[in-house]
Amino acid sequence: MNRFLGPVTVPDPTALADVQRLCDVAEGYTHDDDLFLRAMNESNAWHAERSPLFASLYGDRGPIGELSEQPFVHANFFKMHQVVSVPEKDVRAHMTSSGTTGQKSQMHFDDWTLGAGRRMVARLFEHNGWISDDPVNYLLYYYQPQPGLQLGTAATGQLTCQFAPANATEYGLPNTGAGHEFDPFGAIRALLRFAADGRPVRIFGFPSFLAFTLDRMLATGVPTIELPQDSLVMLGGGWKGNADKQIGKPELYRRIHEQLGIAEDRIRDSFGSVEHSVPYFECSGHSMHVPSWSRVLIRSVRTLEPLPYGEKGYLQFLSPYITSAPAQSVLMGDLASLHPAEECGCGLSTPWFTVHGRAGVSRNRSCAIAAAEMLKGRS
């Protein structure tokens, strides 16, 4: 068994019994709504007792019977304030968001929150059959680790490499000693070497830098590279400061298949944030299903009222597992829509969501502008 699949115990088994039960659900995609609500109410009570911020939001309401009525904190709050619900001595990790500009979110994690989050990732890797004892070669489009680097994406990169032993690891964003720089030629050399080696290759990280590597391959006449059949591409982190160069997923997946020989069902995107560290992975049909341990709501950009399936609005994440900070219900700046499971057709039984724009769809067009345009269209 992978070490991340082992048991993890909540800080207070009495106060957080249903949180424990929820996070012990081994199946990756099954929704027990009654258990989830009970766990959310336990989480709310936990944070109300320990966080003045959340206590002010929660008031004296007691148990809440509807997901849509759960109080939430806007993700931007964590960019301006550092809040915790545990003693400083219990904080085991401090991570920041990976945005290239602006104020970064500052989040703190205790042992339970870290362990539960890692187990979620492990269970989704297990669900997809991606845990292996055979060595693979890694090309990581994350920031190469260095002392003091606290980015959530760097931590994610290290975690996702725990599910198959490394034969060799190369970084597309190596540490130069004065920071990190994209190295397309180093990435191309690594791909050529890995193809000759014959072991499966796992390519994880920012999609923009993989796309730029493919561009450079074409520009310099590098022919199609046939990576082994069991290779895997897992993208995540968005296009960040390169949003003005972004290409659509279908085009990117097609190019990965054509230039690297990887089947499209082995190419997946993922979504996550340091403010809400539940993993969201695409299924084989490229839909982002909501896993067992979280829920997703979409709220109107005009009224913040919850919207039905198919409507675009602000993305809200809920998960009761985090005990270190009052981030069990977070309203993101992303515009998204939620869809019923059957509209995907992959066989998973939980709803899935589509993100229509992260904060900063381009360098001159933010989600706030996109939201304003949506409002204008509804007027």
Side-chain angles (χ1 to χ4, degrees):
M1 175 185 289
N2 185 276
R3 64 189 177 94
F4 290 126
L5 287 169
V8 188
T9 304
V10 292
D12 186 335
T14 301
L16 299 171
D18 283 320
V19 172
Q20 181 78 64
R21 292 186 187 97
L22 177 70
C23 292
D24 284 343
V25 172
E27 168 106 22
Y29 296 97
T30 181
H31 280 185
D32 181 336
D33 291 333
D34 289 339
L35 174 59
F36 190 87
L37 270 173
R38 295 198 307 270
M40 281 298 298
N41 282 317
E42 287 182 349
S43 182
N44 289 339
W46 171 273
H47 291 292
E49 290 178 6
R50 293 163 175 82
S51 167
L53 163 72
F54 189 74
S56 68
L57 291 174
Y58 190 59
D60 58 358
R61 282 185 284 184
I64 298 173
E66 298 290 338
L67 278 185
S68 61
E69 297 174 2
Q70 299 287 329
F72 56 81
V73 179
H74 197 286
N76 283 345
F77 180 87
F78 297 107
K79 298 182 185 299
M80 309 302 294
H81 305 276
Q82 298 189 48
V83 292
V84 294
S85 299
V86 295
E88 184 177 350
K89 65 180 179 61
D90 291 338
V91 173
R92 293 291 178 267
H94 169 213
M95 298 180 193
T96 68
S97 54
S98 58
T100 54
T101 61
Q103 184 72 25
K104 299 178 185 294
S105 291
Q106 306 284 329
M107 296 298 295
H108 299 78
F109 301 93
D110 56 5
D111 285 333
W112 155 260
T113 305
L114 288 170
R118 288 165 177 165
R119 188 168 59 170
M120 292 175 195
V121 176
R123 282 174 168 162
L124 296 186
F125 265 68
E126 183 182 47
H127 169 87
N128 285 286
W130 297 338
I131 296 180
S132 173
D133 293 327
D134 298 326
V136 303
N137 291 315
Y138 287 98
L139 174 57
L140 303 180
Y141 288 100
Y142 296 118
Y143 302 101
Q144 184 177 13
Q146 67 181 80
L149 185 67
Q150 299 173 323
L151 292 176
T153 50
T156 299
Q158 296 305 302
L159 172 60
T160 52
C161 292
Q162 302 297 312
F163 304 116
N167 175 67
T169 302
E170 298 289 344
Y171 286 88
L173 296 164
N175 176 21
T176 65
H180 293 84
E181 293 182 6
F182 173 48
D183 182 9
F185 293 111
I188 293 171
R189 288 193 296 270
L191 289 168
L192 291 169
R193 188 171 72 252
F194 292 166
D197 178 75
R199 291 181 176 86
V201 178
R202 295 193 170 190
I203 303 173
F204 296 156
F206 297 115
S208 54
F209 297 108
L210 175 55
F212 299 157
T213 300
L214 299 176
D215 290 341
R216 197 63 58 93
M217 287 173 60
L218 288 176
T220 56
V222 177
T224 296
I225 297 173
E226 290 293 338
L227 296 178
Q229 183 177 359
D230 292 340
S231 295
L232 173 68
V233 175
M234 174 62 76
L235 305 172
W239 286 66
K240 304 302 181 188
N242 296 297
D244 55 332
K245 302 180 182 68
Q246 183 170 349
I247 60 176
K249 284 185 187 179
E251 180 181 354
L252 178 58
Y253 292 0
R254 176 186 59 79
R255 292 186 56 193
I256 293 170
H257 173 64
E258 291 178 354
Q259 292 183 251
L260 302 180
I262 299 176
E264 290 202 20
D265 65 351
R266 302 281 296 178
I267 305 169
R268 310 288 182 92
D269 195 10
S270 64
F271 189 95
S273 70
V274 73
E275 302 91 358
H276 171 85
S277 299
V278 174
Y280 297 90
F281 296 159
E282 282 186 343
C283 67
S284 58
H286 302 299
S287 299
M288 207 83 71
H289 289 265
V290 182
S292 303
W293 319 284
S294 71
R295 297 294 187 273
V296 165
L297 295 176
I298 305 297
R299 292 192 177 272
S300 166
V301 299
R302 181 190 295 276
T303 65
L304 294 183
E305 289 298 312
L307 296 175
Y309 285 137
E311 294 288 323
K312 295 180 184 179
Y314 288 127
L315 178 63
Q316 181 184 354
F317 286 131
L318 303 97
S319 180
Y321 90 100
I322 183 169
T323 53
S324 55
Q328 73 274 28
S329 179
V330 180
L331 187 70
M332 309 299 293
D334 307 280
L335 298 173
S337 58
L338 188 66
H339 305 269
E342 55 270 19
E343 286 189 4
C344 174
C346 73
L348 295 180
S349 62
T350 64
W352 52 278
F353 64 94
T354 296
V355 177
H356 299 285
R358 286 195 144 184
V361 177
S362 70
R363 288 185 177 174
N364 297 310
R365 185 174 181 271
S366 68
C367 272
I369 295 174
E373 291 175 355
M374 289 173 60
L375 285 174
K376 183 178 180 181
R378 289 172 176 269
S379 299

